[in-house]
Amino acid sequence: MLAISTRGFLWSDVETRTLLNIWGEQDIQTALDGNFRNSHVYRDVARRLGEMGFERTPEQCRVRIKSLKRQFLLAKEGNLRNNGQYHKICKFYDAMERILSSRPQIDPQELLDSGAVGDETMDGTEEEEDTDPPQHPYLESTGECSYPETQVKLEYPPIPIPVTVGNGTTVRQTSSSQSASGPSSSRPKWPKKRHADLPMDSLMERFLEQSAEAEQSFYQLEEQRLQVEDRRREAEHARELHMLQVLGQMFSSIATRNPVATATATTAMPPARNTMESTMQPGVPMSASSHVTRGRSCHLRVRSPQSQAEWPSYHTQPQSNPGSQTLVIERSFSLGTAARTGMDDILPLVKNIVPPLTSKKHKGQDGRIGIIGGCQEYTGAPYFAAISALKVGADLSHVFCTKDAAIVIKSYSPELIVHPVLDSPNAVEEIEKWLPRLHSLVVGPGLGRDDKLLKNAKEVIEKSKARDIPIVIDADGLWLVAQQPSVIQGYQKGILTPNYMEFTRLYEAMHHEPLDSSDHQRSAMELSVAMGNLTVVLKGEEDLITDGNKVILCRQEGSGRRCGGQGDLLSGSLGVLAHWAYTSSADMTKSVNPSVVAAFGACSLTRQCNRQAFHKHGRATTTTDMIQEISSAFKKLFES
């Protein structure tokens, strides 16, 4: 695990909870119990914290624990006296209560009076605990020494003292120890103001009041922001309404010259829509009650009430009474539900693209697949994707990984061709040499989020786009797309396979607004359109496949078992099926987007493998078990 640099003095919530989990372990508490020479214990705590990815010195760990205990005692004392309102001052009250509940009860005021709560500003130069023995039973049990009493320095005003000089003149001098020789000593010394010590109740009351004022200020600022956003949306709607009014006036003028005129203007095919109609006299602008909703496809047509048909272009018929003609402007907009194609319609298309096995073929003709991924931490994902591609029917499977991962991946199976070049200085040039031999590319399984690897993956995607081969992006490849959407945006042979969390990240990166989880189909279509009508496969209870024009739901029965690696099986098989789909004729896919056909086949196959493996292994099912079912599942779905 890569260490997280935490050399500052501030502790994050995650880091603090990790420290508490380590400090609360039985062996640590036992080592601290009755032993005030505990520097070696906190060295062990710092070492374990470092293994979890947080770099802290033993002294910083000790100071943080001491501060947390004081906050806990503050909160606990306030909880006993004021019905729990002080519970807010200790964010980790429950964790501390769990750890310290078995300790002897002490008077919290004794520990609170021993020093101020300010340990977090210390830089780790405090004296070791073993210089002074513990002074309190509670601290003796935890192996820590008590804090020294805080010294209070009192300032008093200078007292004038008369002094007689030789000529009989009396001069008054002050006894202040702060006076100094020189010109500045003649200036009057004013006593420093002293603040009376406020009781703890008053301090906490002031703290809570200030917190409430800060929260109120935040709510006011948020309300102002929302008001600005509302005004922006109203202005946008007003502009759209103005455009509709201009269109209405234009159609009215046309209808005045041709009483029966029918025009249809659509921006997208409306499968299911809400319709709003406004009745207009010629020359009268459109009603202000009509407005356009952002993110919905708008469809506008003008027709005559007596017309019996809608025409795709301007159509003129004679009219006996043009003056009495009333126009109806009908505007409809899509609610995001696209035309759905059933499973029974797509499954035969998947069967059509499966190439037959004949003796006339040569090695590599049925698919040479490249997997971009595999680093020191993740070696299983690229293996699962590559071996799944071979099991589905690809002839060769290449894995382009880092040097650390190459030996491990190669040891999994001799069937794979492993290239340890992904982290080399000339990685892009090394991979580019192989691109002419590859039929499709799968980017992301086991890639990791190292900046160097992501940069190399981005450049490989650009090179692959130039060769016009299908590109499947999964896992950490989707993280790259969320950061830089332009890397794949608009590439029609690109296929994204996000799970729900990855889909949410992509949607919010493209639309800059929270995802509406109530309508996944609309959201998936909007993401596909925003990405340039790429095929999006949203994995879930029902796999949702869309290219922005239609939505297909894969309801192939699977199981309730979800184990790591299933998405890699999907991406590897999808790489093969995408190659088969794009090399098939348009008659075989019935003019359906080849990426959609391939995605449906990969989703159905993955679900069938999951079902068969679960039937044999139940809760113990793993991705390895699913890969063993690819042969029989493929035959049952596509060759029966």
Side-chain angles (χ1 to χ4, degrees):
M1 179 180 294
L2 297 178
I4 302 173
S5 179
T6 55
R7 298 186 180 277
F9 304 138
L10 298 179
W11 290 68
S12 65
D13 292 350
V14 176
E15 190 176 6
T16 300
R17 294 189 185 279
T18 305
L19 175 64
L20 286 176
N21 291 337
I22 296 173
W23 181 70
E25 292 178 3
Q26 184 64 34
D27 59 335
I28 296 296
Q29 291 296 313
T30 302
L32 290 172
D33 192 10
N35 181 15
F36 62 88
R37 294 183 180 272
N38 51 30
S39 58
H40 66 284
V41 179
Y42 281 98
R43 282 197 295 269
D44 187 33
V45 172
R47 180 186 60 79
R48 298 187 189 184
L49 192 63
E51 292 176 354
M52 300 299 293
F54 303 98
E55 296 180 356
R56 289 288 178 179
T57 65
E59 183 65 20
Q60 289 174 335
C61 296
R62 185 191 64 78
V63 170
R64 180 58 172 164
I65 290 295
K66 189 179 296 184
S67 175
L68 290 172
K69 287 195 294 187
R70 184 173 292 109
Q71 294 176 19
F72 167 74
L73 293 177
L74 267 174
K76 189 170 185 180
E77 183 189 29
N79 190 26
L80 295 174
R81 291 189 297 177
N82 293 325
N83 297 327
Q85 66 174 342
Y86 285 54
H87 187 281
K88 299 179 181 179
I89 69 175
C90 184
K91 183 182 297 185
F92 308 96
Y93 184 92
D94 294 333
M96 296 294 296
E97 176 71 15
R98 173 178 56 81
I99 297 173
L100 300 178
S101 59
S102 61
R103 294 294 181 184
Q105 297 295 326
I106 66 169
D107 182 13
Q109 189 63 33
E110 181 176 353
L111 181 59
L112 297 178
D113 292 341
S114 65
V117 182
D119 293 320
E120 290 305 297
T121 62
M122 300 180 65
D123 59 357
T125 61
E126 187 173 328
E127 217 172 319
E128 283 283 327
E129 294 95 344
D130 53 6
T131 58
D132 295 318
Q135 301 295 328
H136 198 281
Y138 176 82
L139 296 178
E140 182 178 1
S141 64
T142 59
E144 297 185 9
C145 61
S146 61
Y147 280 75
E149 294 186 356
T150 304
Q151 296 181 358
V152 180
K153 184 177 182 181
L154 300 179
E155 299 289 345
Y156 296 95
I159 302 173
I161 302 175
V163 178
T164 303
V165 297
N167 57 3
T169 306
T170 300
V171 179
R172 296 182 178 270
Q173 296 182 351
T174 62
S175 62
S176 173
S177 61
Q178 301 296 328
S179 62
S181 61
S184 62
S185 62
S186 62
R187 298 178 183 176
K189 298 290 185 178
W190 297 97
K192 295 183 179 179
K193 293 183 179 180
R194 291 182 296 156
H195 297 279
D197 293 335
L198 297 177
M200 186 59 64
D201 291 346
S202 300
L203 289 175
M204 293 309 304
E205 183 177 357
R206 180 180 300 178
F207 170 76
L208 294 176
E209 290 176 355
Q210 293 177 352
S211 299
E213 292 175 358
E215 186 177 2
Q216 183 66 24
S217 300
F218 170 77
Y219 288 145
Q220 291 176 356
L221 292 175
E222 184 67 13
E223 184 177 358
Q224 294 176 3
R225 187 189 67 81
L226 294 176
Q227 291 176 357
V228 172
E229 182 68 16
D230 290 340
R231 288 195 294 269
R232 184 191 65 79
R233 291 179 179 176
E234 290 175 359
E236 182 180 354
H237 292 166
R239 289 194 299 270
E240 293 171 345
L241 177 60
H242 177 70
M243 294 176 60
L244 290 175
Q245 290 175 343
V246 171
L247 286 174
Q249 293 174 357
M250 179 184 68
F251 290 135
S252 297
S253 61
I254 295 175
T256 302
R257 296 190 298 269
N258 302 299
V260 180
T262 304
T264 302
T266 62
T267 60
M269 181 174 57
R273 64 197 181 194
N274 287 352
T275 302
M276 297 186 301
E277 294 188 357
S278 301
T279 302
M280 302 176 54
Q281 295 293 338
V284 179
M286 182 180 293
S287 171
S289 62
S290 175
H291 65 277
V292 176
T293 303
R294 183 169 59 89
R296 301 175 181 178
S297 301
C298 178
H299 313 279
L300 181 69
R301 62 176 176 271
V302 180
R303 60 181 174 83
S304 169
Q306 284 98 3
S307 64
Q308 300 298 323
E310 295 179 358
W311 299 83
S313 58
Y314 296 114
H315 181 76
T316 304
Q317 293 181 355
Q319 181 61 246
S320 59
N321 189 5
S324 62
Q325 179 66 36
T326 300
L327 292 179
V328 176
I329 292 185
E330 180 185 87
R331 185 172 66 85
S332 61
F333 53 89
S334 170
L335 290 179
T337 55
R340 300 184 184 89
T341 305
M343 291 179 57
D344 295 338
D345 298 329
I346 298 295
L347 191 59
L349 303 183
V350 180
K351 296 180 179 181
N352 289 344
I353 68 173
V354 176
L357 297 176
T358 65
S359 58
K360 297 180 180 180
K361 290 185 177 180
H362 56 79
K363 181 179 66 177
Q365 189 172 349
D366 280 343
R368 296 184 293 271
I369 312 302
I371 310 295
I372 305 297
C375 59
Q376 183 178 10
E377 293 84 1
Y378 307 110
T379 57
Y383 162 73
F384 286 143
I387 200 67
S388 297
L390 287 178
K391 293 280 188 178
V392 168
D395 292 338
L396 297 172
S397 189
H398 296 257
V399 178
F400 299 90
C401 61
T402 64
K403 184 177 180 180
D404 294 336
I407 297 178
V408 180
I409 297 174
K410 188 66 176 178
S411 67
Y412 291 151
S413 173
E415 309 290 343
L416 307 181
I417 305 173
V418 182
H419 308 267
V421 297
L422 191 55
D423 57 346
S424 63
N426 57 340
V428 179
E429 291 77 7
E430 290 292 333
I431 299 175
E432 187 179 9
K433 296 177 182 178
W434 290 89
L435 290 182
R437 310 182 190 183
L438 301 180
H439 293 130
S440 67
L441 202 67
V442 180
V443 181
L447 179 62
R449 297 181 182 178
D450 181 76
D451 292 339
K452 180 180 179 180
L453 300 184
L454 292 176
K455 179 177 179 294
N456 291 339
K458 175 186 175 182
E459 296 183 16
V460 170
I461 291 175
E462 297 291 348
K463 301 290 185 181
S464 302
K465 287 163 56 178
R467 302 201 63 84
D468 195 35
I469 61 176
I471 303 175
V472 179
I473 301 183
D474 186 36
D476 289 323
L478 297 172
W479 170 269
L480 171 63
V481 174
Q483 306 303 314
Q484 305 178 55
S486 61
V487 70
I488 196 66
Q489 189 173 19
Y491 185 60
Q492 295 302 305
K493 292 186 179 181
I495 307 174
L496 309 181
T497 60
N499 56 29
Y500 182 76
M501 294 302 297
E502 294 164 340
F503 177 80
T504 302
R505 188 186 302 117
L506 285 170
Y507 184 91
E508 294 177 353
M510 295 301 300
H511 293 85
H512 305 288
E513 62 181 18
L515 172 66
D516 180 11
S517 59
S518 61
D519 191 347
H520 289 168
Q521 295 186 31
R522 173 192 290 179
S523 300
M525 288 192 64
E526 290 177 349
L527 176 61
S528 176
V529 172
M531 292 297 297
N533 288 94
L534 265 68
T535 299
V536 175
V537 181
L538 175 55
K539 298 176 287 190
E541 183 179 2
E542 295 178 344
D543 293 336
L544 192 152
I545 306 165
T546 179
D547 59 355
N549 298 319
K550 60 173 62 67
V551 175
I552 299 176
L553 296 178
C554 181
R555 295 191 174 97
Q556 183 72 30
E557 184 179 356
S559 75
R561 172 62 172 156
R562 296 291 183 270
C563 56
Q566 295 186 68
D568 304 313
L569 191 157
L570 171 65
S571 61
S573 59
L574 180 52
V576 182
L577 291 170
H579 163 59
W580 292 349
Y582 276 102
T583 54
S584 300
S585 64
D587 295 336
M588 292 184 177
T589 59
K590 306 296 184 183
S591 299
V592 178
N593 188 339
S595 294
V596 173
V597 176
F600 181 83
C603 291
S604 301
L605 179 63
T606 304
R607 287 174 166 270
Q608 182 65 25
C609 291
N610 182 266
R611 178 187 179 187
Q612 293 180 190
F614 185 79
H615 180 72
K616 294 180 179 179
H617 304 280
R619 190 177 293 274
T621 301
T622 62
T623 302
T624 302
D625 301 323
M626 294 174 55
I627 291 175
Q628 299 302 320
E629 301 296 328
I630 289 179
S631 176
S632 59
F634 189 94
K635 182 179 297 184
K636 181 176 181 179
L637 289 174
F638 309 132
E639 294 180 339
S640 60

